Amino acid sequence: DAGVTQSPTHLIKTRGQHVTLRCSPISGHKSVSWYQQVLGQGPQFIFQYYEKEERGRGNFPDRFSARQFPNYSSELNVNALLLGDSALYLCASSFDRGLAGYTFGSGTRLTVV
Amino acid sequence: RKEVEQDPGPFNVPEGATVAFNCTYSNSASQSFFWYRQDCRKEPKLLMSVYSSGNEDGRFTAQLNRASQYISLLIRDSKLSDSATYLCVVTGGGYNKLIFGAGTRLAVHP
């Protein structure tokens, strides 16, 4: 079985541009969450989706948005990129509401120049 | 105050050593607790869940003290392959988002 898959693996963007990151959860998993990890820190929660509805949002500006599709895959969109958005973006999926933990994808490393 | 606080690292230990990581959390309503391991430039991977009764998985032992809001991880007989960053994680919110500590880096040397 495939794990959580994310695309692209690496991305370089210019300030002010827009980016879309994609995630496919483990088959059967209905919960998808997005996290941002900057160097030297633990991952920070951005969004959580369960059964295609937004269930939680972290302390991130409105430039960040996401959605979950009927097949439970998800997209994270970031508009008007800033240098500080450079980070590893992680997607995690869970079968239930996360009580048993989440499985992470290998992430998308975004560099904003 | 951070929601999850961990020992600052790094921990540099020889092979065979026993090392302990400590963690405190601020939200008494947290329901689930985990230790994740993260290798350099890789994704976090679930090492083990943590229960109030304590739980052991081979050389790894985790403990949870809900009254003190304290979590620990003990690694016995350290191996070179244990070198990684260890992340203390609690859940929060109605849909159990993960709240991570900053992580403690472990370096095991020959």
Side-chain angles (χ1 to χ4, degrees), chain A residues 32-43:
Chain A
V32 170
S33 299
W34 287 95
Y35 292 81
Q36 180 197 64
Q37 187 175 24
V38 299
L39 201 59
Q41 297 182 23

Side-chain angles (χ1 to χ4, degrees), chain A residues 35 37 48 97 99 102 105, chain B residues 32 36 38 43 94-96 98:
Chain A
Y35 292 81
Q37 187 175 24
Q48 182 173 33
R97 289 164 49 174
L99 288 174
Y102 289 82
Chain B
S32 297
Y36 275 75
Q38 187 171 29
E43 75 275 18
Y95 278 81
N96 301 303
L98 298 180

Side-chain angles (χ1 to χ4, degrees), chain A residues 57-71:
Chain A
R57 183 187 181 111
N59 188 23
F60 280 80
D62 291 345
R63 300 184 295 108
F64 288 76
S65 64
R67 54 181 174 167
Q68 187 176 33
F69 298 101
N71 66 353

